[in-house]
Amino acid sequence: MKPWIAALGAIAISMPAASAENSGSSQHNAALTAAVAASTRTDTNRARDKYRHPQDTLAFFGVKPSDTVVEIWPGGGWYTEILAPYLKSGGGKLYAAAPLDWGIEGIAKLKGADPALYGPIQTVDFPAFDATATRVPDGSADVVLTFRNVHNWRMGYRREGKADYSAEAFKQMYAMLKPGGVLGIEDHRLPENADAERERSSGYIKVSTVRRLAEAAGFRFAGASEINANPKDSADWPNGVWTLPPTLTLKEQDKDKYLSIGESDRMTLKFVKPR
């Protein structure tokens, strides 16, 4: 057979696979668009899309509707309102991982309000310091997502003596994932030239610190996005990141100023558990 004929054969064979891949990606995008636009989302949460960019963020992390996803510390369920219908559309599975004694009130409210949509969410302890705690099974998750939480672990939030437990948190997230699985992180970004001690009180954390923690746990850095960047945020506010919306801890004091700045400047980082 002539070499050029063989080459044409190879092209003909590869084209359907590429087409199928593009088709799958297109379907995922459509399902994600529908989830972001879902009528089950609250108006209050939807109003923050301009700051949080959920569609671009989840697309960057590569979340598929058929995935098993762990949402770490979902809080009131801002991202849960999107992830639940998205994963339901493709037969995926969602875990809500938080301390069961104080961290799942938001998920409980969602389950009560719409059992059909949120009822299947499984709640588990995180971080799990007790050997008897309910955990995500090791090696079972395709994606672990944590939004604005690493700084809390670094600050020792709700731990005796404010002990830093970020390293243990990353080890546990690593254990949850399948080989090749993705860890997606979004958090308030502290400038690299800032005093590292500010990570313990400001709500901001350095990209280098997050990378160090992830890589020490075994993760491989897979990329960064500026989807959630905000150059107006100088990260040096009187009450830390909570000075800015949505918290606005100073209430009416300079409120217009902080509203004009918007929500924080945030890193968006993707890590992979090696195969």
Side-chain angles (χ1 to χ4, degrees):
M1 180 182 292
K2 300 287 185 182
W4 63 270
I5 295 177
L8 283 175
I11 292 171
I13 292 170
S14 65
M15 283 177 67
S19 179
E21 181 178 341
N22 291 338
S23 176
S25 177
S26 178
Q27 290 173 0
H28 298 166
N29 289 338
L32 186 52
T33 298
V36 171
S39 60
T40 48
R41 295 186 66 205
T42 62
D43 290 339
T44 300
N45 285 350
R46 195 189 308 276
R48 295 178 65 198
D49 287 1
K50 63 182 180 180
Y51 299 121
R52 304 200 67 173
H53 313 105
Q55 179 146 0
D56 290 339
T57 299
L58 293 174
F60 173 69
F61 292 144
V63 184
K64 299 187 295 296
S66 57
D67 282 342
T68 294
V69 176
V70 182
E71 185 183 4
I72 304 291
W73 284 24
W78 196 94
Y79 258 100
T80 313
E81 285 190 350
I82 298 168
L83 288 168
Y86 181 56
L87 296 174
K88 185 177 182 180
S89 75
K93 183 175 184 178
L94 181 59
Y95 285 94
L100 299 185
D101 57 344
W102 58 262
I104 61 166
E105 295 94 336
I107 298 300
K109 288 180 181 178
L110 290 175
K111 283 174 172 280
D114 191 340
L117 179 58
Y118 301 110
I121 298 173
Q122 290 191 235
T123 54
V124 293
D125 265 313
F126 182 87
F129 293 108
D130 188 331
T132 62
T134 303
R135 300 170 181 251
V136 175
D138 287 355
S140 64
D142 298 291
V143 181
V144 173
L145 300 172
T146 182
F147 302 101
R148 309 180 183 208
N149 291 315
V150 181
H151 69 274
N152 286 308
W153 312 331
R154 176 86 173 93
M155 292 171 64
Y157 180 60
R158 295 184 73 108
R159 296 297 295 174
E160 185 175 350
K162 294 188 176 181
D164 179 353
Y165 53 95
S166 53
E168 178 60 26
F170 274 84
K171 290 178 184 177
Q172 292 187 23
M173 292 189 293
Y174 186 88
M176 296 173 187
L177 283 163
K178 301 173 182 177
V182 169
L183 169 64
I185 294 176
E186 177 209 306
D187 214 328
H188 313 294
R189 178 163 45 191
L190 185 67
E192 289 297 320
N193 60 0
D195 183 348
E197 191 58 27
R198 290 184 55 205
E199 293 181 340
R200 299 284 287 155
S201 61
S202 69
Y204 291 92
I205 189 168
K206 296 182 181 184
V207 170
S208 60
T209 299
V210 175
R211 285 196 59 172
R212 173 177 55 79
L213 289 164
E215 289 166 2
F219 286 102
R220 175 178 59 81
F221 179 64
S225 171
E226 291 299 294
I227 295 165
N228 294 301
N230 180 1
K232 294 180 181 179
D233 177 14
S234 62
D236 60 355
W237 310 113
N239 285 6
V241 73
W242 305 282
T243 307
L244 298 177
T247 308
L248 293 169
T249 54
L250 296 180
K251 301 188 183 300
E252 295 303 315
Q253 181 182 334
D254 294 325
K255 181 178 179 180
D256 289 343
K257 168 187 172 181
Y258 297 124
L259 286 174
S260 70
I261 291 166
E263 296 194 18
S264 67
D265 174 55
R266 299 184 307 284
M267 67 184 84
T268 307
L269 307 178
K270 182 177 179 179
F271 298 90
V272 173
K273 180 175 182 176
R275 295 184 183 276

